[in-house]
Amino acid sequence: MRPYSTHGIDKNAIQAANALVQRERHVSSKWDHEVDVLVVGSGAGGMLSALTAASNHADVLIIEKGERWGGTSATSGAGIWIPGSDIAKAEGFEDNLDDAFTYVRALSADNVPDANIRAYVNNAAPMLHWLVANTPVQYMAFAYPDYHAENPGGSPTGFRTHLPLPLDGKPLGDDVATQQFPSPAASLFGFLNWHFDETYMLLYRAPGWWQGLVKSMARYWFDWPFRFRSAKDRRLTLGNALTGGLRMALNDKKVPLWLETALVELVSEKGKVTGAVVTQRGKTLRIGARKGVVLAAGGFDHNQAMRDEHAPLYPSAARSGGVTTNTGDAIRAGQSLGAATLNLQSAWAAPVFYVPGEDRGRLCTIERALPGCIMVNQSGNRFLNEAASYHVTGQAMARRQAEHGDASPCWMVFDHTYRHAYPMGPLYPIMPDWVHPGEVRSILKKSKTIEGLAEQMGVDPAAFSATMARFNSHAAHGEDPDFHRGEAAYDKMYGDPRQAPNPCLRPIDQGPFYAMPIYPGDIGTNGGLLTNDKAQVLDAKGKAIGGLYAIGNSAASSMGESYPGAGVTIGPAMTFGYIAARHMTGAND
């Protein structure tokens, strides 16, 4: 056999080709694992971004710092705020994207670029259309008013907020056992998943409520043999349905999700991010990313040092409702490469209950709007409309605490009628006090008289009694001249329709009387890395850092410090995740 001859071939070309091969071998050898797209974080935004990239023929890897996947998204109600969706149109709601832009633009911070808001408004509906077409996740448009529906462009009738339908989690196989549990505030007894329709049925004791409860309990407990292996409910609802359906679609695409894998630092070459250094169960790995890295690891909810430095208005990491793995790793990694940040002082504010021993706060959403309760500060006075959105309420509490030092905690006050009709945070109706865990009983105050309750709360009895008397005199007529509770469309959303003339107001006059502490908290920080309308991370000069994208609470929210409606946390996370994946993979379909 004749030896191979290079006669007639440009030797310089051969040498160049050999050099290229050697460089490629060198590049490959420096990575322990290499993919097209690396996604840091397994919340809904991260998983949707990974799925979009994989559907555009990219090799994708998701890494998750915690032992469970799904992030704060899995613990949430999974509402997404989507203007102009096909689903809403099918329900008869004709939306206008210019109205939606006007509405958000007026509420958002001045430093948030118009282009970012416009990118969200224009791409949210296409993202949702793609989601329901390519995953088991199905959404319904909900008659949930915008939080400031009275503002120009707001929707008092709702149908911009969308909620996921329940989903059978059995196709997830063993993955369902490592999914984040729903928040205790979004589940029954901390383990039984339920949908909003079921919540209302139980809340208002609609006909058949107890049969429905028994059926749900039986379904859960007789899920054999899985019940002997895990406490997880395999009927997925709310945040579990959204993240569970995304994980099913990712599994079909064979996209791996590595748990207990934390981002240490980003790797940059000639101004372009090409990978990351991570730790996995004590082992350091270098992961290459040929097309880019998507930072979707949440905010710095549980990093006390970062909160002290950047968000002093929301100082308590322990009482944040975000998952405890949200410690700002992605934000700091971006900053180390010169990335700019925006609105780090901001958070998704919320009033939260805190049960001793739990690792995070419990969001208070519905309870404050129901008739027969009020919120007072440590002076025994009301200072806000209790039925306002949780963001507005949380902001008012945080500012009150910063200015007067008497709102952390405040007190949720209610009477016997409320106690046995509705839930109050971790306190369930019908169930006697003694049935509840000792940790819950330890924070519950109870007295036969208003004055006795004041003493247990540590507030001035005279001031508190005067507050109660004034509130009751007006509530008897369905009025609240001080804070206008029950007048706005959003207030009525969670009121009791059986209570007339105002679904949010009733005198608090049936002893014994109760009180529980409630704190100014949040469900996550929302200031982060500065990004453009393609979700690319920008440096201090406004130039995009090649190969680096940020979404969700790792990026500065396009909402600024506002909260226009239910779903403006996860909705933008998923929308910008969709935008980022399409941009880095060159999708144009």
Side-chain angles (χ1 to χ4, degrees):
M1 183 177 180
R2 294 174 59 187
Y4 179 76
S5 173
T6 60
H7 180 70
I9 299 178
D10 187 341
K11 292 183 179 181
N12 290 331
I14 294 175
Q15 291 175 350
N18 287 337
L20 177 62
V21 170
Q22 292 301 318
R23 284 200 301 272
E24 288 179 344
R25 285 175 179 171
H26 172 71
V27 169
S28 298
S29 67
K30 72 179 181 180
W31 304 115
D32 297 293
H33 188 78
E34 193 170 10
V35 292
D36 291 326
V37 176
L38 174 65
V39 177
V40 182
S42 65
M47 287 202 288
L48 191 280
S49 190
L51 182 62
T52 305
S55 297
N56 289 324
H57 313 294
D59 181 16
V60 185
L61 169 66
I62 304 172
I63 61 171
E64 166 56 49
K65 177 181 178 180
E67 297 177 351
R68 296 184 176 276
W69 57 272
T72 303
S73 301
T75 74
S76 74
I80 53 176
W81 194 82
I82 308 292
S85 79
D86 295 340
I87 298 171
K89 188 174 183 178
E91 292 290 331
F93 179 66
E94 292 287 344
D95 206 352
N96 183 298
L97 296 187
D98 288 336
D99 286 346
F101 174 82
T102 297
Y103 175 65
V104 174
R105 176 67 277 175
L107 290 168
S108 186
D110 292 341
N111 59 8
V112 174
D114 283 2
N116 288 24
I117 298 174
R118 181 63 74 179
Y120 171 47
V121 168
N122 288 352
N123 288 278
M127 179 280 296
L128 179 58
H129 182 85
W130 189 91
L131 172 73
V132 299
N134 290 277
T135 77
V137 180
Q138 298 297 307
Y139 265 88
M140 60 176 284
F142 202 63
Y144 200 119
D146 288 343
Y147 287 173
H148 304 278
E150 66 282 0
N151 286 13
S155 173
T157 58
F159 294 103
R160 285 173 175 164
T161 293
H162 296 63
L163 299 173
L165 298 178
L167 189 65
D168 184 358
K170 292 179 183 177
L172 279 172
D174 291 339
D175 288 336
V176 74
T178 54
Q179 184 184 30
Q180 286 279 1
F181 279 80
S183 164
S187 61
L188 185 61
F189 308 123
F191 60 80
L192 189 67
N193 292 341
W194 56 4
H195 192 252
F196 271 94
D197 291 345
E198 296 159 332
T199 302
Y200 285 117
M201 177 173 283
L202 289 174
L203 186 62
Y204 303 127
R205 311 288 200 282
W209 71 268
W210 69 268
Q211 294 99 325
L213 177 59
V214 169
K215 182 179 179 180
S216 294
M217 295 292 290
R219 173 192 47 76
Y220 174 84
W221 286 112
F222 290 105
D223 183 11
W224 297 338
F226 185 77
R227 188 52 54 236
F228 299 104
R229 295 190 288 114
S230 174
K232 280 285 298 172
D233 188 351
R234 290 199 290 181
R235 177 184 180 254
L236 306 181
T237 62
L238 307 178
N240 270 208
L242 171 58
T243 55
L246 286 169
R247 184 72 191 270
M248 291 177 196
L250 286 164
N251 287 346
D252 287 344
K253 293 285 186 183
K254 295 181 171 50
V255 175
L257 194 164
W258 293 357
L259 296 175
E260 299 181 72
T261 306
L263 174 67
V264 176
E265 63 179 333
L266 296 165
V267 177
S268 176
E269 299 176 14
K270 297 181 180 179
K272 182 179 186 298
V273 171
T274 56
V277 178
V278 306
T279 57
Q280 185 180 71
R281 302 180 183 91
K283 183 180 179 180
T284 299
L285 300 173
R286 294 173 62 85
I287 302 174
R290 290 178 287 264
K291 294 182 181 296
V293 175
V294 180
L295 300 177
F300 53 94
D301 324 353
H302 289 273
N303 185 318
Q304 189 61 60
M306 289 186 72
R307 293 180 81 105
D308 291 343
E309 179 181 359
H310 301 294
L313 193 62
Y314 307 101
S316 178
R319 296 191 181 104
S320 175
V323 293
T324 57
T325 49
N326 290 346
T327 54
D329 304 355
I331 295 173
R332 296 196 308 276
Q335 286 179 297
S336 70
L337 294 184
T341 58
L342 186 70
N343 295 334
L344 290 181
Q345 78 284 352
S346 182
W348 302 113
V352 299
F353 293 108
Y354 180 71
V355 178
E358 294 188 352
D359 63 1
R360 70 197 81 162
R362 296 192 186 199
L363 171 65
C364 177
T365 302
I366 298 175
E367 300 94 328
R368 297 171 289 106
L370 292 167
C373 71
I374 61 169
M375 184 187 298
V376 299
N377 60 26
Q378 293 168 20
S379 300
N381 299 312
R382 291 179 74 207
F383 62 97
L384 48 69
N385 169 15
E386 295 90 348
S389 76
Y390 58 74
H391 183 64
V392 168
T393 303
Q395 284 183 324
M397 293 173 70
R399 289 170 182 152
R400 176 80 193 192
Q401 175 64 19
E403 294 169 5
H404 301 281
D406 62 359
S408 185
C410 291
W411 292 97
M412 283 298 305
V413 178
F414 50 106
D415 65 1
H416 175 82
T417 301
Y418 186 108
R419 166 73 182 86
H420 289 278
Y422 313 118
M424 181 58 78
L427 195 68
Y428 291 107
I430 302 176
M431 294 173 54
D433 298 348
W434 59 267
V435 173
H436 290 78
E439 293 83 0
V440 174
R441 297 198 306 272
S442 72
I443 60 174
L444 178 65
K445 309 299 181 184
K446 179 180 179 180
S447 177
K448 294 180 180 179
T449 66
I450 292 295
E451 293 76 14
L453 187 65
E455 291 180 4
Q456 291 196 36
M457 293 158 56
V459 305
D460 177 60
F464 181 52
S465 295
T467 295
M468 295 292 289
R470 177 173 175 80
F471 175 84
N472 286 342
S473 67
H474 292 293
H477 303 287
E479 300 171 350
D480 178 20
D482 295 326
F483 300 103
H484 308 286
R485 175 169 157 187
E487 296 179 15
Y490 177 78
D491 292 10
K492 296 181 177 69
M493 175 69 192
Y494 287 126
D496 189 336
R498 301 170 298 181
Q499 180 68 37
N502 188 324
C504 301
L505 292 175
R506 177 184 60 75
I508 305 169
D509 55 7
Q510 300 297 315
F513 302 95
Y514 301 83
M516 293 185 71
I518 187 166
Y519 299 85
D522 61 81
I523 55 172
T525 57
N526 68 354
L529 299 173
L530 178 63
T531 57
N532 62 15
D533 59 348
K534 296 294 189 292
Q536 293 173 288
V537 176
L538 306 180
D539 64 18
K541 295 181 179 180
K543 180 182 178 182
I545 298 174
L548 187 61
Y549 300 77
I551 64 172
N553 290 350
S554 292
S557 172
S558 55
M559 301 299 115
E561 295 189 60
S562 72
Y563 210 128
V568 296
T569 55
I570 299 177
M574 295 172 65
T575 300
F576 282 105
Y578 175 75
I579 291 170
R582 289 169 56 81
H583 186 262
M584 71 175 64
T585 58
N588 54 16
D589 56 338

